[in-house]
Amino acid sequence: MSPDNTVQVTSLPNLAEILPYLLGHYPDDSIAFHAPGENFIDGPSMTCPLPDDPAEWKDTAELAARQFVAYAHDRGHNPDQGVIVYLCRDPRPNETPWDTAALLAPVTDWITSTLLNERACVLQTIGLVANRWWAYECTTDGCCEGEPLPSADDPTSVAAQMARLGRTPGPRTRDIVKEFRAAAPADVDFLKALDTAVDQFNTRCATSAGRDSTLTSTCAQIEAAVSQFRAGATTLNRTLATQLIVGLHDDGAVDAGIAHTDDDDLPHARNLWAYLARHCAEPFTQEAVPALTLYAFVAWRQGDLIAARLALRDALTTDPEYELAVGVLHGTIDGEDPRDFRTAVRETYDHRMAHVQHAVQVASEYSPVTDSTAHRHREALDTATEYHAAQSSTYRGQLLARYGTIDIIGGALADFRNGPPQLMDEIAARIILGLQDPEARDAALSTGDENDLPVERQLWGYLARRCVPPHTDKAPPLLALLGWVAWRQNDTVTASHAFSDALDIDPHYRLAKHMLEGIRSEYDQDEFLAIFRAADQRFAAGRADLDNL
């Protein structure tokens, strides 16, 4: 402050009551550090949560002291000029303020020893308990123990001085965190719905195509939710809320939350992210981390650093490795402009969505159908599975199925060449089941003239789209065949996506793995083609085995 706008801190009571003015809030159950500057309130300050279990206090106190020294040095302040330590804790049930103050006393020794080892010294350690203060550096029995904080009626109190300057103390931590922290009791029905949404999200995201489609949907839901809050809503329907919470598992969706919040929408976005975070009660606190990070980013943009850091503290306590929360926290500490942060995230987001839109477009060629025909395809595959298992129970049956599959494929390709692509459900299902045999699949690999490639590609995509749940595990052979044809057509983008999606379904699917590695290594596809043609000739020659059975 300027010389004519100073606050006089001339007594221990003044020192005790100034904390919420120093920090901008009162830190419940925390250790706070302040290294006074020229006008006392200048200089770095830092808070650290004090765990509920006193057995954890020693490690917490020593780590916090070391962190504060580093923090002070980073801000050009030498803590060897003195540090003031505040120990804040409310009494627990059946505990008096004096009991709590005595429980806090050892923390003083741990912090003092650590600061001395770090070439810093303690000017004073103040305990703040139930609106009373203790000065632990005072060694006189009964002195500076449990005195009430000064009243604002006292003209020399910090509160009176601040009031004359038009300043008020910051709120308590407990009041700030109510905005975004889950409250008890939890909404049991919501948590059940959230559990279901998590399972559905994991199922949808089992493949790259599913992840891309889900991300696109989540981004649209973010815009819809912000619009609802902009229109005055204070709640969301359960389905949208749970889908948003789990959709934020995808970093691309979190980037969307940062990238597409205009200045006028900051209050509405803040309400949205706080609402979602509040609904992530145990055992789903992990689900709150992205929403808490988005809330913190919005609060940062609004200049509310205290709320931002408290939300980030919750996020990083739950997931210390969450990179975006770490990045936002460093931004708030280092004084970065959140608009620059947003610009960088938007570039990443735009690049990701361009890729996703392309991937969704590519995957539409072979992704399982979701329309009214899905039930029909499912029934056909159910029936064909039983028939195929019975047929393949003998060696002769396996050979018959293998060569029969190739004959059926030949007929299907002829049909596709002569008219609209359409197969009877039974025929399509028999081909899909038959191609689960690696030898049949390899015999179906494209080895012929390039003029045949468009029809072959059309057939494999047509069949892959019929691999609807719970038969998605039958798609890898179709995807490998389609990817090989696309590669032969020099469409390495579609080929790479098809091979990747096959590996998403079956990470051990060797053909897709080898071909994907071939594309990435720019392997000569003619060498693959030569291998496949030789195998095709051996397969054709093997028909004679049928006559010997």
Side-chain angles (χ1 to χ4, degrees):
M1 293 185 178
S2 59
D4 59 347
N5 214 20
T6 58
V7 175
Q8 299 297 319
V9 182
T10 58
S11 65
L12 287 174
N14 287 160
L15 194 63
E17 65 173 325
I18 200 172
L19 181 62
Y21 297 96
L22 284 174
L23 302 178
H25 73 292
Y26 181 86
D28 297 294
D29 294 344
S30 296
I31 304 171
F33 299 88
H34 178 64
E38 183 178 350
N39 290 315
F40 186 84
I41 64 171
D42 300 333
S45 299
M46 188 188 87
T47 63
C48 171
L50 193 61
D52 194 58
D53 184 358
E56 301 178 29
W57 289 359
K58 186 175 188 295
D59 290 343
T60 299
E62 292 174 348
L63 176 60
R66 290 192 294 269
Q67 288 177 333
F68 178 70
V69 171
Y71 176 75
H73 280 303
D74 287 345
R75 269 134 197 83
H77 190 97
N78 192 344
D80 65 3
Q81 298 174 11
V83 176
I84 297 171
V85 180
Y86 293 89
L87 306 178
C88 309
R89 180 177 168 90
D90 282 342
R92 295 321 191 238
N94 301 318
E95 189 176 270
T96 69
W98 281 264
D99 294 334
T100 304
L103 196 63
L104 290 169
V107 181
T108 301
D109 297 331
W110 300 327
I111 290 178
T112 299
S113 296
T114 303
L115 288 176
L116 286 174
N117 289 337
E118 298 291 328
R119 300 182 181 277
C121 66
V122 174
L123 295 175
Q124 188 61 253
T125 302
I126 300 292
L128 293 171
V129 182
N131 291 317
R132 295 178 179 273
W133 62 273
W134 279 255
Y136 290 108
E137 308 302 323
C138 179
T139 58
T140 304
D141 289 341
C143 184
C144 303
E145 296 180 6
E147 294 291 331
L149 290 172
S151 167
D153 296 336
D154 181 349
T156 64
S157 70
V158 167
Q161 296 181 64
M162 287 293 187
R164 289 194 292 269
L165 296 174
R167 296 184 58 181
T168 57
R172 296 184 72 102
T173 303
R174 68 179 64 151
D175 295 324
I176 298 173
V177 301
K178 285 179 182 177
E179 184 180 5
F180 55 77
R181 188 176 291 171
D187 184 336
V188 176
D189 290 337
F190 187 92
L191 295 183
K192 289 180 180 178
L194 185 54
D195 188 37
T196 300
V198 170
D199 290 340
Q200 292 174 342
F201 177 85
N202 292 335
T203 300
R204 290 196 304 269
C205 294
T207 65
S208 295
R211 286 194 296 273
D212 292 340
S213 177
T214 301
L215 173 58
T216 301
S217 175
T218 302
C219 292
Q221 290 172 330
I222 289 172
E223 294 184 8
V226 172
S227 295
Q228 289 184 32
F229 275 79
R230 187 190 306 125
T234 57
T235 63
L236 297 175
N237 72 65
R238 186 175 296 161
T239 300
L240 177 56
T242 55
Q243 288 181 353
L244 271 175
I245 288 170
V246 299
L248 291 173
H249 285 193
D250 191 317
D251 291 343
V254 181
D255 288 347
I258 289 178
H260 292 293
T261 305
D262 296 328
D263 291 348
D264 291 343
D265 275 336
L266 291 177
H268 315 305
R270 178 170 177 155
N271 290 338
L272 170 62
W273 307 130
Y275 175 84
L276 295 180
R278 282 198 308 273
H279 280 76
C280 297
E282 290 284 0
F284 294 100
T285 51
Q286 181 72 35
E287 316 301 322
V289 172
L292 286 169
T293 304
L294 287 168
Y295 169 91
F297 177 76
V298 172
W300 180 25
R301 286 194 62 194
Q302 292 176 314
D304 189 353
L305 292 178
I306 295 168
R309 289 170 182 165
L310 288 172
L312 291 169
R313 187 174 78 182
D314 279 11
L316 291 172
T317 297
T318 302
D319 184 356
E321 305 300 323
Y322 194 67
E323 292 185 3
L324 184 61
V326 173
V328 173
L329 179 61
H330 286 166
T332 65
I333 292 173
D334 296 338
E336 296 179 14
D337 188 333
R339 292 171 297 183
D340 294 339
F341 193 96
R342 179 194 185 208
T343 298
V345 170
R346 174 170 279 178
E347 290 177 359
T348 302
Y349 170 79
D350 289 343
H351 178 76
R352 169 77 185 278
M353 291 310 296
H355 170 80
V356 166
Q357 289 168 5
H358 189 188
V360 169
Q361 182 180 1
V362 167
S364 66
E365 183 177 357
Y366 56 75
S367 294
V369 298
T370 57
D371 58 22
S372 58
T373 64
H375 179 67
R376 200 181 74 219
H377 301 330
R378 184 178 302 109
E379 287 187 338
L381 283 168
D382 288 342
T383 301
T385 299
E386 296 178 10
Y387 171 79
H388 186 78
Q391 184 186 31
S392 302
S393 61
T394 66
Y395 179 63
R396 176 178 174 79
Q398 291 174 12
L399 288 179
L400 288 171
R402 185 174 297 156
Y403 286 99
T405 297
I406 298 304
D407 291 341
I408 296 173
I409 289 173
L413 288 171
D415 289 344
F416 272 47
R417 290 189 190 96
N418 297 326
Q422 188 171 359
L423 295 176
M424 293 177 59
D425 291 337
E426 178 186 356
I427 297 299
R430 286 184 63 185
I431 296 175
I432 292 171
L433 268 295
L435 289 173
Q436 304 308 305
D437 178 354
E439 291 195 41
R441 176 207 63 197
D442 291 350
L445 285 164
S446 176
T447 58
D449 189 271
E450 292 183 359
N451 292 331
D452 292 331
L453 297 179
V455 176
E456 292 179 4
R457 178 167 173 168
Q458 195 173 37
L459 174 62
W460 306 137
Y462 177 88
L463 294 172
R465 289 196 297 274
R466 287 171 169 257
C467 294
V468 297
H471 297 284
T472 50
D473 62 333
K474 298 177 176 63
L478 287 307
L479 296 175
L481 291 166
L482 185 147
W484 167 239
V485 173
W487 189 12
R488 285 196 65 191
Q489 293 176 311
N490 295 317
D491 182 1
T492 55
V493 173
T494 299
S496 297
H497 278 293
F499 295 142
S500 295
D501 285 345
L503 290 169
D504 278 340
I505 297 171
D506 182 357
H508 303 293
Y509 203 73
R510 294 176 60 187
L511 182 62
K513 183 177 182 180
H514 292 331
M515 287 189 175
L516 184 59
E517 290 174 350
I519 290 177
R520 291 172 175 172
S521 303
E522 298 182 355
Y523 196 78
D524 186 354
Q525 63 177 248
D526 287 341
E527 296 188 29
F528 274 107
L529 189 58
I531 295 172
F532 296 154
R533 282 174 174 162
D536 188 42
Q537 291 174 358
R538 291 193 299 272
F539 183 84
R543 280 184 181 270
D545 293 341
L546 288 174
D547 299 330
N548 299 325
L549 292 175

